[in-house]
């Protein structure tokens, strides 16, 4: 790839170092991940207090021994995620097809064949960064994703490169409404990570999630109602190291309108995600300060 003019010259060595590392086979990169696990969990203790507190609050019925077991399992998977994301810089379509399986793609295909834009509501479970690229490779129609700009110019450009090199299209969050208006007649899938925390002044919806008052973004639901989009929940199961199975679950077919001030799609998403996390707690990203806002 040509050097991007959007990257300061200072960052060029890092760009090529990361691309070079990505050429290593995943089994070799997993050896690096094993080393990172020891460093992150035992030496640095990266956000360990945040992780343990999140787990204690989310699973008050579990013993401290169980909580620490989930935390350790999470930290074992976390470095895998890092090297897997790095591998996107060189992974080809054939390997992506082998490692990501959509168990019921016909659910998505059915809506797209009707000429609709479908919104998928995903989360920070498993390897969320591979999913959009896998869709671009396997679906046979446009796979697009909404993203939030990264402040660091290097990582902004590098992540855009990783996410788009297999054919996915990225939509910056602030441009989402404009993009939906412009492409309202284009059959496609638009992926949104819907488990992030809204800024306090933008909160419009609260629910009880993992035993805690939790706010959610409602942008996906508003877009669905405005443009008549079906909405699917995307469940991510980690089958083994480097292999994932994804399942679609219909949250809305895009034909119903809720009562004013209610957000049934977002509520349904929260319930589906909670059930998925309870099935495999270590699969979720616990380092995030998800519950930093309190309901007044």
């Amino acid at each position: 790839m040509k050097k991007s003019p959007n990257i300061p010259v200072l960052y060029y060595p890092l760009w090529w170092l990361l691309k070079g590392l990505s050429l290593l086979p995943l089994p070799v990169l997993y050896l690096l991940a094993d080393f990172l696990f020891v460093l992150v969990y035992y030496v640095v203790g990266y956000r360990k207090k945040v992780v343990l507190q999140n787990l204690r609050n989310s699973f008050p019925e579990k013993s401290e021994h169980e909580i620490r077991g989930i935390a350790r399992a999470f930290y074992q998977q976390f470095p895998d995620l890092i090297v897997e994301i790095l591998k996107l810089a060189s992974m080809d379509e054939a390997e992506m097809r082998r490692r990501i399986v959509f168990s019921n793609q016909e659910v998505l295909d059915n809506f797209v064949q009707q000429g609709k834009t479908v919104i998928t509501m995903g989360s920070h479970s498993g390897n969320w960064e591979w999913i959009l690229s896998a869709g671009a490779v396997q679906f046979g129609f446009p796979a697009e994703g909404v993203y939030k700009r990264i402040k660091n110019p290097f990582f902004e450009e590098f992540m855009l490169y990783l996410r788009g090199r297999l054919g996915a299209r990225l939509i910056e969050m602030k441009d989402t409404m404009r993009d939906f208006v412009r492409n309202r007649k284009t059959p496609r899938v638009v992926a949104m990570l819907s488990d992030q925390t809204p800024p306090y002044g933008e909160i419009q919806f609260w629910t009880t999630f993992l035993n805690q008052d939790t706010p959610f973004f409602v942008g996906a639901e508003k877009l669905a109602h405005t443009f008549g989009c079906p909405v699917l929940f995307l469940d991510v199961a980690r089958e083994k190291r480097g292999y994932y199975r994804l399942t679609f679950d219909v949250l809305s077919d895009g034909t119903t309108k809720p009562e004013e001030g209610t957000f049934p799609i977002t509520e349904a998403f929260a319930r589906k995600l909670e059930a998925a996390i309870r099935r495999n707690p270590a699969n979720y990203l616990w380092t995030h300060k998800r519950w930093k806002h309190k309901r007044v």
Side-chain angles (χ1 to χ4, degrees):
M1 179 184 177
K2 295 180 180 179
K3 296 176 181 178
S4 170
N6 295 321
I7 300 174
V9 175
L10 176 67
Y11 288 119
Y12 285 166
L14 179 57
W15 177 285
W16 294 108
L17 172 63
L18 294 179
K19 287 198 66 179
L21 285 172
S22 78
L23 295 172
L24 295 172
L26 266 173
V28 176
L29 288 174
Y30 284 137
L31 294 177
L32 174 60
D34 291 339
F35 169 75
L36 289 176
F37 163 65
V38 173
L39 181 66
V40 170
Y41 185 70
Y42 289 105
V43 180
V44 178
Y46 173 69
R47 291 201 170 187
K48 190 178 286 189
K49 289 183 179 179
V50 173
V51 170
L52 289 172
Q53 193 58 55
N54 281 342
L55 289 170
R56 291 180 187 120
N57 292 341
S58 297
F59 305 105
E61 74 282 2
K62 294 186 181 296
S63 68
E64 184 65 16
H65 177 74
E66 290 174 307
I67 292 296
R68 291 188 175 273
I70 295 171
R72 190 178 190 280
F74 160 73
Y75 276 106
Q76 285 179 312
Q77 294 186 30
F78 186 55
D80 285 6
L81 172 65
I82 294 172
V83 299
E84 286 173 9
I85 292 173
L86 178 61
K87 187 62 182 174
L88 270 176
S90 63
M91 184 180 288
D92 61 25
E93 293 187 3
E95 186 167 19
M96 182 61 76
R97 289 177 184 274
R98 285 193 303 106
R99 293 183 174 277
I100 295 283
V101 174
F102 295 93
S103 62
N104 61 343
Q105 187 182 322
E106 66 277 3
V107 174
L108 173 62
D109 291 346
N110 179 57
F111 286 118
V112 175
Q113 288 165 5
Q114 296 173 38
K116 297 181 178 181
T117 290
V118 180
I119 297 172
T120 62
M121 296 180 73
S123 68
H124 291 84
S125 298
N127 185 337
W128 59 91
E129 289 291 353
W130 276 7
I131 296 171
L132 185 61
S133 293
V137 168
Q138 300 186 48
F139 290 161
F141 45 80
E144 306 175 1
V146 177
Y147 81 100
K148 186 175 181 181
R149 178 175 287 273
I150 301 172
K151 292 181 180 179
N152 181 284
F154 170 78
F155 286 107
E156 166 68 7
E157 195 67 20
F158 192 68
M159 291 306 296
L160 284 176
Y161 169 69
L162 296 186
R163 293 164 173 168
R165 62 175 293 272
L166 290 181
R169 175 174 169 267
L170 282 301
I171 306 165
E172 191 172 349
M173 185 181 291
K174 67 180 181 61
D175 298 327
T176 305
M177 178 60 76
R178 187 183 304 111
D179 185 87
F180 268 71
V181 171
R182 184 185 304 120
N183 297 291
R184 60 188 178 279
K185 295 183 179 180
T186 302
R188 57 179 178 156
V189 59
V190 178
M192 304 180 74
L193 290 177
S194 302
D195 63 329
Q196 302 180 71
T197 304
Y200 191 81
E202 298 178 16
I203 295 174
Q204 300 180 54
F205 172 79
W206 290 86
T207 190
T208 301
F209 175 71
L210 293 173
N211 295 296
Q212 299 159 86
D213 285 339
T214 310
F216 283 85
F217 278 106
V218 295
E221 181 156 359
K222 287 186 173 182
L223 288 167
H225 295 320
T226 300
F227 296 97
C229 301
V231 183
L232 307 181
F233 173 75
L234 187 58
D235 185 41
V236 182
R238 186 179 191 261
E239 297 202 308
K240 59 181 180 178
R241 206 173 201 182
Y243 290 87
Y244 300 87
R245 179 171 294 275
L246 280 60
T247 305
F248 295 108
D249 200 346
V250 179
L251 300 179
S252 170
D253 63 6
T255 62
T256 58
K257 297 282 186 180
E259 295 182 12
E260 186 70 25
T262 66
F263 299 97
I265 295 176
T266 308
E267 176 67 36
F269 167 75
R271 302 283 70 82
K272 294 286 186 182
L273 177 57
E274 182 176 60
I277 292 171
R278 289 189 180 280
R279 286 195 302 271
N280 186 358
N283 200 44
Y284 194 60
L285 183 67
W286 294 104
T287 52
H288 180 52
K289 294 182 180 180
R290 182 65 177 87
W291 291 277
K292 58 187 175 183
H293 299 318
K294 302 299 180 183
R295 194 193 310 217
V296 177

